[in-house]
C-alpha cells in the first residue's frame, strides 16, 4: 500500500458500478441545464483544458476579468446552478465527518488529452471541512504534494468509483491531474473522465 500524506484518504472502489451509473445519469441531467463551459485563467485568459459545471448553491468559475471565485449563477446561462442530488449529499454525510452540508459540487470533464495543473483549492472561506472527490470514467494519474509549491509529490491512479478525501493537514495541499489513460473505463460511452468535488464554501 502506498503511503499518502496525512489528511489524504483514498478509498478505491468506493462506488459500485450501479451507483456510478446512477450518479452519471444525475450529472448528465445537471449538464443539460447547466452546460459544461471552459473556464479561463485569471489575467492571461488562457483556457483550461478541462470543461466544468457545478451543482448546489454555489459554483466555482474563473475568467480573465474576475479570476477564481464562487458564484450563484452559471457564467454562460446566468441561471442558478441545479440542486445538488441527494445521492451526493449522502456521500458527503458518510465521508466528511462534518456536521455542515456541502454547498457546491464542481463537475470537471476531461477528454483524453485534458489535464489539470498543480493547484490549491483555497477559494473557500472555510477549510475545516474536507473536499471529497469522486472519479467516474477513464483512469487518471493524480499527483499530490504539500501546502507549499515545489515540495515533494506523490502520484497515484484514480479509477472510476474511487473516492479521495483532502482533509486536515492536506486540505490545502497542492494537487493536479497529470494525464488521462484513454479507454480504461466503459462507464462514459464516449470515453473521458468526470471528477466531482464536494465542497463547503462558507463558514457554517
Ligand atoms: C480531479 N481534483 O481529480 C481534480 N481538488 O480531476 C481536484 O482538483 C481536487 O481531487 C480538491 C480535492 C480533491 C480533488
Ligand atoms: Fe482541486
Amino acid at each position: 500500500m502506498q503511503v499518502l500524506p496525512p489528511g489524504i484518504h483514498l478509498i478505491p472502489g468506493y462506488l459500485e458500478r450501479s451507483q456510478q451509473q446512477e450518479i452519471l445519469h444525475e450529472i448528465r441531467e445537471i449538464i443539460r441545464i447547466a452546460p459544461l463551459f471552459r473556464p479561463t485563467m485569471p489575467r492571461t485568459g488562457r483556457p483550461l483544458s478541462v470543461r466544468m459545471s457545478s451543482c448546489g448553491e454555489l459554483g466555482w468559475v474563473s475568467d480573465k476579468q474576475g479570476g477564481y471565485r464562487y458564484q450563484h449563477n452559471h457564467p454562460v446561462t446566468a441561471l442558478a446552478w441545479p440542486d445538488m442530488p441527494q445521492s451526493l449529499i449522502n456521500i458527503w454525510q458518510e465521508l466528511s465527518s462534518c456536521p455542515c452540508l456541502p454547498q457546491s459540487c464542481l463537475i470537471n470533464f476531461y477528454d483524453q488529452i485534458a489535464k489539470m495543473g498543480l493547484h490549491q483549492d483555497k477559494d473557500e472561506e472555510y477549510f475545516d471541512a474536507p473536499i471529497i472527490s469522486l472519479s467516474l470514467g477513464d483512469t487518471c494519474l493524480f499527483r499530490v504534494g504539500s501546502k507549499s509549491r515545489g515540495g515533494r509529490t506523490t502520484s497515484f491512479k484514480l479509477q472510476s468509483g474511487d473516492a479521495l478525501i483532502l482533509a486536515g493537514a492536506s486540505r490545502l495541499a497542492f494537487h493536479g491531474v497529470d494525464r488521462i489513460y484513454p479507454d480504461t473505463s466503459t462507464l462514459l460511452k464516449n470515453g473521458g473522465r468526470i471528477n466531482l468535488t464536494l465542497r463547503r464554501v462558507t463558514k457554517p
Side-chain angles (χ1 to χ4, degrees):
M1 236 196 86
Q2 198 164 4
V3 177
L4 299 176
I8 300 191
H9 308 279
L10 173 60
I11 313 174
Y14 173 69
L15 299 170
E16 291 177 6
R17 177 80 177 193
S18 61
Q19 291 176 288
Q20 296 174 41
Q21 284 164 334
E22 281 163 29
I23 292 172
L24 179 62
H25 179 76
E26 290 170 319
I27 296 301
R28 291 206 192 286
E29 287 299 302
I30 288 164
I31 286 171
R32 211 162 48 78
I33 298 157
L36 292 169
F37 61 93
R38 197 180 296 277
T40 55
M41 293 290 286
R43 296 184 298 281
T44 64
R46 190 164 184 261
L48 276 67
S49 62
V50 175
R51 292 188 297 151
M52 297 183 174
S53 187
S54 287
C55 60
E57 64 186 87
L58 289 163
W60 187 88
V61 301
S62 175
D63 54 39
K64 187 174 177 171
Q65 292 299 322
Y68 299 156
R69 63 199 186 274
Y70 282 93
Q71 62 182 41
H72 291 280
N73 306 85
H74 188 284
V76 178
T77 67
L79 295 172
W81 302 104
D83 288 342
M84 192 179 302
Q86 189 61 44
S87 56
L88 297 180
I89 298 171
N90 291 346
I91 290 168
W92 172 271
Q93 289 178 330
E94 182 170 85
L95 296 182
S96 77
S97 65
C98 182
C100 60
L101 285 170
Q103 292 173 300
S104 180
C105 172
L106 177 63
I107 301 165
N108 289 153
F109 177 77
Y110 298 76
D111 63 19
Q112 296 192 345
I113 58 171
K115 43 190 165 189
M116 188 178 292
L118 278 182
H119 67 276
Q120 283 175 301
D121 288 70
K122 59 176 184 187
D123 301 314
E124 302 74 28
E125 294 170 9
Y126 186 65
F127 301 129
D128 292 352
I131 295 183
I132 293 176
S133 143
L134 302 171
S135 292
L136 298 172
D138 285 338
T139 300
C140 78
L141 184 62
F142 190 84
R143 180 200 292 265
V144 64
S146 66
K147 283 195 266 191
S148 53
R149 195 184 277 283
R152 56 157 274 177
T153 62
T154 309
S155 295
F156 50 92
K157 289 180 180 178
L158 290 176
Q159 293 186 308
S160 196
D162 291 355
L164 179 73
I165 305 172
L166 256 58
S170 286
R171 169 63 182 77
L172 290 167
F174 278 89
H175 58 277
V177 172
D178 288 339
R179 62 164 297 191
I180 302 294
Y181 297 95
D183 306 317
T184 45
S185 167
T186 55
L187 188 73
L188 276 61
K189 67 176 185 298
N190 296 319
R193 172 173 181 265
I194 292 173
N195 171 252
L196 307 176
T197 43
L198 306 176
R199 296 135 185 275
R200 178 74 202 185
V201 179
T202 64
K203 292 185 182 72

